Amino acid sequence: QVQLVESGGGLVQPGGSLRLSCAASGSMFTFFHMDWYRQAPGKERELVATISSGGSTNYADSVKARFSISRDNVKHTVYLQMNSLKPEDTAVYYCHARPNYDGNLNYWGQGTQVTVSS
């Protein structure tokens, strides 16, 4: 069983920055595609950014040019650098892992709250 532990959330003013981290347990991290999702109150969970096991990235249109996803395969950690934050970025952010060797497996973190407010 893989455990994902997010950190780095908090309260930030509009225009500010935060970096989220998600640390994965076990030894298979290099084989995981990693995603960041978010869920705002009253809304469905949405995919924010993806980084493949090979390092390819994709972003939701709403965060392109503001957010950056990266991974450190030595530290078994994926990051989400969030710049130029807006109030509409307020949500619980979740880390998600998808092993590239088994499409039936996936893992979720517990989530970290990001609040953008003045």
Side-chain angles (χ1 to χ4, degrees), residues 16-100:
S17 298
L18 280 176
R19 188 176 81 154
L20 306 183
S21 300
C22 171
S25 65
S27 60
M28 303 301 285
F29 181 77
T30 55
F31 299 102
F32 292 169
H33 305 308
M34 300 298 298
D35 312 306
W36 285 99
Y37 282 78
R38 68 185 180 187
Q39 188 167 21
K43 294 189 176 181
E44 293 188 355
R45 192 171 294 189
E46 64 171 345
L47 180 62
V48 174
T50 293
I51 185 165
S52 73
S53 57
S56 299
T57 59
N58 276 291
Y59 299 91
D61 287 343
S62 58
V63 306
K64 276 181 182 176
R66 299 189 299 121
F67 290 11
S68 178
I69 189 170
S70 61
R71 64 190 296 156
D72 185 330
N73 288 337
V74 174
K75 295 183 178 179
H76 293 187
T77 300
V78 63
Y79 304 97
L80 186 68
Q81 178 67 44
M82 305 185 294
N83 299 326
S84 301
L85 282 161
K86 305 175 181 180
E88 51 264 42
D89 295 318
T90 296
V92 178
Y93 284 71
Y94 296 92
C95 180
H96 181 243
R98 296 175 286 122
N100 65 11

